[in-house]
Amino acid sequence: MPDRDLNILSLTLPFVRERLPTHQAYAQASVADILGDHFSSAKSVEVNTLDSMLFLNRGDRFEPRPLPPEAQFSPAFALVVADYDGDGHEDVFLSQNFFPTQPFAMRNDAGRGLLLRGDGAGQFTAVPGHISGVAIYGDQRGAAAADFDRDGRVDLVVSQNAAETILLRNTSAKPGLRIRLEGASANPAGIGASLRLETASGLGPVREIQAGSGYWSQNSPVQVMSSPTAPVAVHIHWPGGRKTTTPLPPGVSEIRIDTSGQAR
C-alpha cells in the first residue's frame, strides 16, 4: 500500500490523478494499481536498517555496530572525533536535527547535540546533556573541535541553520598534550599526517590531521592527545611515507615537531 497521500504523490507522478481521480479510489488501490503500466519498470529498493552506525575497519572487512539509542532519536549531521574527557579513548560528538523537511512531514527536532564516550574498543555510551553540558535545541549543522583557549582540553564549535554558532568550552576534561606539526613549505600544518602516543603500556589510538573534517568544517590542526598514563613518545606517519618517533620529556604539555621528528 502507498505511504504518501494522493495530493502529495500526484505532484511527483501526475498520471496518478488520471488513474485514480478520487481519494476513495486511491485508498483502495495497491501500489501496482496506482502505477499501472509503470509498475513493471519500477525499481525496488530495500532498507536493512535505519540506524546510525559505526563501522570498525578489521582489515579485510568492516564490522557494523549500531550507535546507542540516543543517537537514533534525530538525524546526525556532523560527527566530530576527539578525546573530549582526556581518558585516552576517542569520543564522538554528533550535531543533530533537521528542520527543512517536506511540507507534509514533521521536522526532526528530537536531538540537542550528543556526546558519545568511547571505551577504546568500539563501544560508545551516550553522555546525558546535564553532564556533558551539550544542550543545543536548534537545527545543527557543521561542527569542529579545537582547543581555542589552549588549556589542553578539546573545545567544540557547533553551527546552526538560521541561528547562532555556539562555542562549547571544555572545563572538566583531564588536560592532554598539545601537538603542533611543522610540515614542509607546501603543507605547513602537516595535513594528512597521522599521530599516535606511546606510553609504557603501548600505543594509543591514531589521530589524523585533516583539511575538511566535515560539512563546511575543519578541526584544528593542533591536536590534543591524552593517555591513561604519561606518554613517552609521539609516533608520526607523515604524508609521503616518512615515519618519525619523537621522545617526550616528562611533564610536557605542548610540543612542536618538524618532519625530521625533532621537537621544539
Side-chain angles (χ1 to χ4, degrees), residues 180-184 234-239 242-247 256-264:
R180 183 189 297 271
L181 299 189
E182 297 182 343
V234 180
H235 294 257
I236 303 174
H237 189 173
W238 296 87
R242 177 193 292 268
K243 295 182 180 180
T244 61
T245 299
T246 304
R256 291 172 177 261
I257 303 175
D258 63 22
T259 55
S260 66
Q262 295 298 310
R264 291 200 276 164

Side-chain angles (χ1 to χ4, degrees), residues 128-188:
H130 68 278
I131 295 176
S132 69
V134 178
I136 308 171
Y137 293 91
D139 189 13
Q140 301 153 54
R141 286 295 184 269
D147 179 15
F148 92 99
D149 54 0
R150 302 182 65 174
D151 66 351
R153 300 179 179 94
V154 181
D155 307 302
L156 190 64
V157 177
V158 184
S159 67
Q160 301 183 89
N161 188 18
E164 68 275 7
T165 296
I166 293 178
L167 171 63
L168 297 170
R169 184 185 179 195
N170 191 336
T171 61
S172 61
K174 173 187 172 184
L177 172 64
R178 288 171 47 89
I179 304 174
R180 183 189 297 271
L181 299 189
E182 297 182 343
S185 58
N187 183 10

Side-chain angles (χ1 to χ4, degrees), residues 65-188:
R65 292 193 183 178
L67 294 176
E70 293 85 349
Q72 316 301 338
F73 292 165
S74 197
F77 213 91
L79 296 96
V80 185
V81 177
D83 186 359
Y84 294 103
D85 55 5
D87 66 351
H89 302 315
E90 298 290 74
D91 310 307
V92 178
F93 168 79
L94 306 179
S95 68
Q96 295 180 304
N97 298 338
F98 189 76
F99 292 177
T101 57
Q102 295 171 312
F104 56 85
M106 294 184 294
R107 72 182 194 178
N108 302 295
D109 60 1
R112 56 180 189 173
L114 181 64
L115 180 62
L116 299 175
R117 179 181 289 124
D119 66 355
Q123 298 293 341
F124 290 88
T125 303
V127 182
H130 68 278
I131 295 176
S132 69
V134 178
I136 308 171
Y137 293 91
D139 189 13
Q140 301 153 54
R141 286 295 184 269
D147 179 15
F148 92 99
D149 54 0
R150 302 182 65 174
D151 66 351
R153 300 179 179 94
V154 181
D155 307 302
L156 190 64
V157 177
V158 184
S159 67
Q160 301 183 89
N161 188 18
E164 68 275 7
T165 296
I166 293 178
L167 171 63
L168 297 170
R169 184 185 179 195
N170 191 336
T171 61
S172 61
K174 173 187 172 184
L177 172 64
R178 288 171 47 89
I179 304 174
R180 183 189 297 271
L181 299 189
E182 297 182 343
S185 58
N187 183 10

Side-chain angles (χ1 to χ4, degrees), residues 1-2 6 20 22-34:
M1 303 299 292
L6 176 59
L20 304 167
T22 67
H23 287 278
Q24 180 178 2
Y26 182 76
Q28 297 172 349
S30 66
V31 172
D33 295 331
I34 294 171

Side-chain angles (χ1 to χ4, degrees), residues 20 29 42 47 50-51 53 58 82 92 100 124 142 149 162 165 169 184 197 199 228 248 253:
L20 304 167
V47 176
L50 296 176
D51 284 349
M53 306 185 76
R58 298 307 192 190
V92 178
F124 290 88
D149 54 0
T165 296
R169 184 185 179 195
L197 288 184
T199 67
L248 295 173
S253 61

